[in-house]
Amino acid sequence: MWRYASLAVLMWAVACTNDAAPDRPLAAETGRIAEDEVVYFVLPDRFENANPDNDQGGLSGNRLSTGFDPAHKGFYHGGDVAGLTRRLDYIKGLGVTAIWLAPVYKNKPVQGAAGQESAGYHGYWITDFTSIDPHFGTREEFARFVEAAHARGMRVYMDIITNHTADVIQYEGCPVQACPYRSRADYPYVRRGGVKGAAINDGFLGEGDLSESNFLRLTNPNFAYETKVPEAERAVKVPGWLNDPIYYHNRGNTTFRGESSQMGDFVGLDDLFTEHPRVVQGMIDIYGAWIDEFGIDGYRIDTARHVNPEFWQAFVPAMQERARKRGIDHFYIFGEVFDPDPGRLARFTRVDGFPAVLDFAFQSAVYDVFVRSTGTDRLNTLFESDALYEGGSQTAGKLPTFLGNHDMGRFAHFMLRENPGLSDDELLRRTVLAHAFMMFARGVPVIYYGDEQGFTGDGNDQDAREDMFPSRTASYNDNRLVGTSATTAASNFDTSHPIYRAIAGMSAIRAATPALRRGRQIVRNYVETPGLFAFSRLYGKSEVLIAFNTGASPLRANVEVDPGSASWRALHGVCAPASSAPGSYSVEIAPFDYVLCISEPRA
């Protein structure tokens, strides 16, 4: 249970809003680019339950039939699209300009081996790619949500999956979701059950020839395993072509290494044969239709690294063109490549053709510096790697940055795990400080729902997916939250929460200051210990200096600035009115705090 922080610390956190510029929309609203956005990532099932009538998705029976059990962290809890619509003003109050929602397509309600079942509340076990899952509401309710978000100036990014479907295809002789991967060398496409098996798929040349004529020779899916589909699920997938096992790799579970990374089943999920021309065109048709009908603003692409580059080279331009025809020139595509190495992330912008990828390298560096208290030189190393992306720093400015998420866990959990006995005061300060770094450094900041209410979680995956509406899950309700005495057993839409107010203040400053969204970033100072990290963002004749103190002691330092930046004013903290000398500016920063100083116009 959280213990009340001192009044001084609460006033400090709230003060982040006091320095904010007046609330006003971004200039040239229709001309917004990716760098202008502040994104809110939300799992609809865990956000707000506006319609209890859809909690069971129109199904009957126990939780293994309906998927609904609000007391269990692995089942549906009742949140829906109508709940998102109801709380749009709460989200907008954070300064959010775009909402990324976890998949809302129709899922297999429950899957998993006996005794290990869980539900598709997260949205990643799709059976019908063309429909809204009944647990989340109706097509009409989704349309109203998009319309209501757009009316508030907020964009909508849908989470999509092309790598896999729900687990429907089974393999003879294997337990559910437990078949080991069988390689192309040991189980070639032209032999049944191994190199010594009977000849099948005569003349098929594998992925070396991605032509339609080559794939017409692929007619038998039983090269590695004997596939089978339960009778009750033979037609469960929509569109109908997805029910044919020939459009899947059928090689068993991925080991996340080598060829299995792109051809293996992700924990039993049916891995699509994304090299196949029919699969490529089928996915283009599916997700193009969502753009056509609802006028959404972008796609976050799940498990991007587990799909072959040639697929993305066709799919990404097709989605961009579909959006342009719908009049959506700002369509934003970013892929999930779960890797902290910026070199490997950059590969997906250079080879696969992604305009942006989720910046796991940023998250890793923030974890080291703000959680584990490593030297701030780690951040400089991160930003030096921006040159690796296709388009260099310009592309790096479009990367979605984040502190934690639904898979790896929440930032505040990392802080508590790595720093046992951390006081409430320090936990709040360091949490706000990390959000400030995300909000003002290059990139597109992504707020994970609930972080603004001090959610901590107990770990990753299901343990980081708490309810915003009153929760019935005991393992959530006993958590220590940040900046509040509340628990998740009550509704958590408190706009006076110190973290909510801090983020709202940061968003207002960011919206009113083009340099903090679009400005070129130059690292000014870093150290090999906890302490100073400073950078400037330059835009037109404006320079904004942002300096952080990641250490537990106050600091005073001279920071290099542009020689033409002479007169300064504060956007946050205390800023000296003038440079100490041309090109040098003095900063004083309290422990776990930052200053935000602007000089405009430069000479």
Side-chain angles (χ1 to χ4, degrees), residues 213-468:
S213 59
N214 179 46
F215 276 85
L216 287 173
R217 303 185 186 106
L218 183 66
T219 59
N220 191 323
N222 299 319
F223 33 82
Y225 284 100
E226 293 292 316
T227 61
K228 61 179 181 178
V229 177
E231 187 63 35
E233 295 183 302
R234 288 192 178 276
V236 73
K237 295 180 184 179
V238 180
W241 61 268
L242 287 163
N243 292 298
D244 190 339
I246 201 63
Y247 298 122
Y248 299 83
H249 284 122
N250 303 318
R251 290 190 172 277
N253 280 349
T254 180
T255 64
F256 301 100
R257 296 186 300 275
E259 71 175 62
S260 84
S261 181
Q262 291 185 358
M263 297 186 178
D265 296 343
F266 196 111
V267 196
L269 297 168
D270 299 347
D271 195 73
L272 281 157
F273 207 136
T274 47
E275 299 87 349
H276 200 300
R278 180 68 183 89
V279 176
V280 177
Q281 188 57 50
M283 286 294 161
I284 288 173
D285 292 342
I286 286 168
Y287 291 115
W290 286 93
I291 298 172
D292 292 347
E293 181 172 352
F294 295 101
I296 56 172
D297 304 281
Y299 282 143
R300 178 268 192 183
I301 300 178
D302 182 66
T303 51
R305 73 182 305 173
H306 302 299
V307 174
N308 58 301
E310 296 85 357
F311 178 92
W312 299 127
Q313 291 161 8
F315 182 85
V316 169
M319 293 302 98
Q320 292 171 325
E321 179 60 23
R322 198 71 166 254
R324 279 191 292 269
K325 289 182 178 178
R326 184 67 161 74
I328 308 169
D329 294 329
H330 57 261
F331 201 79
Y332 184 40
I333 295 176
F334 53 104
E336 181 216 19
V337 180
F338 202 144
D339 197 309
D341 185 332
R344 286 195 284 266
L345 292 176
R347 174 202 174 279
F348 287 84
T349 67
R350 290 192 173 274
V351 177
D352 298 54
F354 276 94
V357 290
L358 278 161
D359 199 347
F360 280 87
F362 177 95
Q363 192 280 332
S364 177
V366 167
Y367 183 96
D368 285 346
V369 173
F370 291 88
V371 176
R372 297 179 59 236
S373 298
T374 62
T376 63
D377 55 334
R378 173 77 168 84
L379 300 173
N380 180 64
T381 301
L382 166 75
F383 293 131
E384 283 185 332
S385 299
D386 286 354
L388 298 174
Y389 295 94
E390 182 70 25
S393 60
Q394 187 173 4
T395 295
K398 296 178 172 63
L399 303 182
T401 56
F402 62 100
L403 305 179
N405 65 21
H406 61 316
D407 289 327
M408 61 173 45
R410 295 185 181 274
F411 177 84
H413 169 73
F414 305 149
M415 191 68 74
L416 291 170
R417 183 182 66 194
E418 296 284 349
N419 302 277
L422 193 67
S423 72
D424 297 318
D425 292 1
E426 186 173 329
L427 177 60
L428 177 58
R429 284 181 177 273
R430 291 172 70 168
T431 299
V432 171
L433 187 68
H435 277 88
F437 185 76
M438 177 179 71
M439 292 294 287
F440 299 131
R442 68 98 180 110
V444 181
V446 178
I447 301 161
Y448 182 40
Y449 88 97
D451 280 1
E452 77 281 4
Q453 294 294 324
F455 285 11
T456 54
D458 291 317
N460 64 349
D461 196 73
Q462 295 176 10
D463 288 325
R465 301 172 181 179
E466 302 97 313
D467 304 310
M468 293 282 282

